[in-house]
Amino acid sequence: MPDHDLRAENDRLRARLSAFERSADEARRDKRWYSDNSWQDWVKLSGLPLAFVLACYTFYDDVYLRFKGQDRATISAIESNLREIQKLNEKAYALNEADGISGAGSFEAANAGLRQRLGSQTFAYWQQQPDFFQPSEAQILADQLLLQGRTKDAWQIAETLESSARSASDRVELALFKGRILGAEGDAFDLAAARKQLGAAYAMTDEVAVSSRAQAQRRTILQYRVQMELYYEQPCEGIGPLVEALEVWTLDGTPAEDAQDRAARRLIETYAARCAG
């Protein structure tokens, strides 16, 4: 084939490719097929016969899920509940990080009823289908129950999370969480057991290989212990050594100071106001 014919064919193919790319870009702008297509569009893209897809869908919904004691509507509701709980947690956390204690308190008060409904519905399903929940989802639910004072229920979930705590750091976090359950107002409250659990969590940090991570976890455990002792108005002489250790780790007024430092400073000031002199 002469050179000019090859060039012409090459130009024609390049023009077709450019037209196709423009068309694809326009389609992507008009409709994000990768995220919000209907199931009918996915059937078209897959090339599978519609009757076959409907048969599989019906089998999953009417046979498999019912055999497992589940149904699609309930599963969707539980997944929605978990997302809603997480949104509430993220908002409350953001308010705390902004040092907005009163704002966070007002937010929690305004959403107390919603939290109770979400927690009750989701825990009832967890009791029926605990294997449905991923470890992180079970943790979200346990945290929610802890906020509601349903600490026996939170403990029941925490006990099932042992197998998912694979690293030393994970095991420390779970031990700390159990300490928080025992130290929270609720139906599992046991201050002596909480102290013992927090002590066990602190000892477990020796198994964490990364020293900076281990130190951060020790500080968090210590900070929670001081908070717990102050909240329950325990004797000052028992809190003093804990506060002194916490003060060493608190970067008050330095460029590296963060929200955790500010929270620690408030605890130290509370101790001083109550126990000075």
Side-chain angles (χ1 to χ4, degrees):
M1 181 181 292
D3 286 346
H4 67 275
D5 290 336
L6 287 172
R7 285 194 297 272
E9 181 66 8
N10 181 61
D11 291 340
R12 185 180 69 81
L13 292 174
R14 288 176 63 87
R16 290 186 63 185
L17 179 60
S18 296
F20 175 79
E21 290 174 342
R22 286 194 301 273
S23 176
D25 286 339
E26 291 172 359
R28 279 193 293 269
R29 286 195 298 270
D30 293 340
K31 184 174 181 61
R32 295 175 299 168
W33 63 270
Y34 53 84
S35 64
D36 56 10
N37 270 53
S38 68
W39 66 270
Q40 293 96 332
D41 293 329
W42 285 110
V43 171
K44 294 175 185 177
L45 288 170
S46 69
L48 295 172
L50 176 60
F52 174 76
V53 174
L54 287 175
C56 292
Y57 187 80
T58 300
F59 176 83
Y60 176 75
D61 189 41
D62 292 341
V63 180
Y64 177 74
L65 287 181
R66 293 185 188 281
F67 172 74
K68 300 285 285 185
Q70 304 173 21
D71 65 89
R72 189 178 70 255
T74 301
I75 288 175
S76 296
I78 296 304
E79 290 173 341
S80 176
N81 284 357
L82 289 167
R83 287 193 296 270
E84 190 66 28
I85 291 171
Q86 190 65 0
K87 287 178 183 177
L88 292 171
N89 292 344
E90 289 169 358
K91 178 65 174 178
Y93 180 80
L95 289 170
N96 278 321
E97 282 291 291
D99 211 15
I101 299 175
S102 59
S106 299
F107 174 79
E108 290 296 351
N111 289 282
L114 175 60
R115 281 194 179 276
Q116 288 174 359
R117 179 177 59 79
L118 294 171
S120 295
Q121 289 179 350
T122 310
F123 181 65
Y125 191 73
W126 181 88
Q127 290 177 302
Q128 298 173 24
Q129 302 289 342
D131 292 341
F132 169 78
F133 290 75
Q134 295 296 316
S136 58
E137 294 172 333
Q139 180 71 60
I140 290 170
L141 175 57
D143 277 316
Q144 176 62 50
L145 296 170
L146 174 58
L147 283 173
Q148 295 175 14
R150 297 176 57 175
T151 50
K152 282 188 177 178
D153 294 337
W155 184 271
Q156 185 180 349
I157 295 175
E159 289 280 72
T160 69
L161 296 174
E162 295 284 353
S163 61
S164 63
R166 298 184 182 279
S167 70
S169 182
D170 289 342
R171 291 190 289 274
V172 171
E173 292 295 333
L174 181 57
L176 170 58
F177 180 59
K178 287 183 172 182
R180 288 176 52 217
I181 292 173
L182 294 169
E185 289 184 285
D187 45 18
F189 172 70
D190 186 332
L191 191 56
R195 289 173 179 147
K196 183 177 180 180
Q197 182 67 48
L198 292 173
Y202 197 95
M204 289 166 63
T205 61
D206 291 340
E207 302 172 15
V208 178
V210 180
S211 60
S212 59
R213 176 61 175 161
Q215 182 168 322
Q217 289 183 316
R218 288 172 190 143
R219 178 185 175 184
T220 300
I221 295 165
L222 177 60
Q223 190 163 325
Y224 179 76
R225 174 71 187 275
V226 171
Q227 178 182 329
M228 182 181 74
E229 299 290 344
L230 287 170
Y231 181 80
Y232 292 112
E233 299 181 341
Q234 297 302 294
C236 292
E237 58 268 22
I239 308 175
L242 300 173
V243 170
E244 290 175 7
L246 182 61
E247 195 160 19
V248 171
W249 281 333
T250 302
L251 302 172
D252 182 42
T254 72
E257 182 185 41
D258 59 13
Q260 188 176 17
D261 290 312
R262 292 191 293 274
R265 177 53 54 187
R266 286 194 295 270
L267 291 174
I268 294 168
E269 291 171 353
T270 300
Y271 168 79
R274 210 189 96 191
C275 299

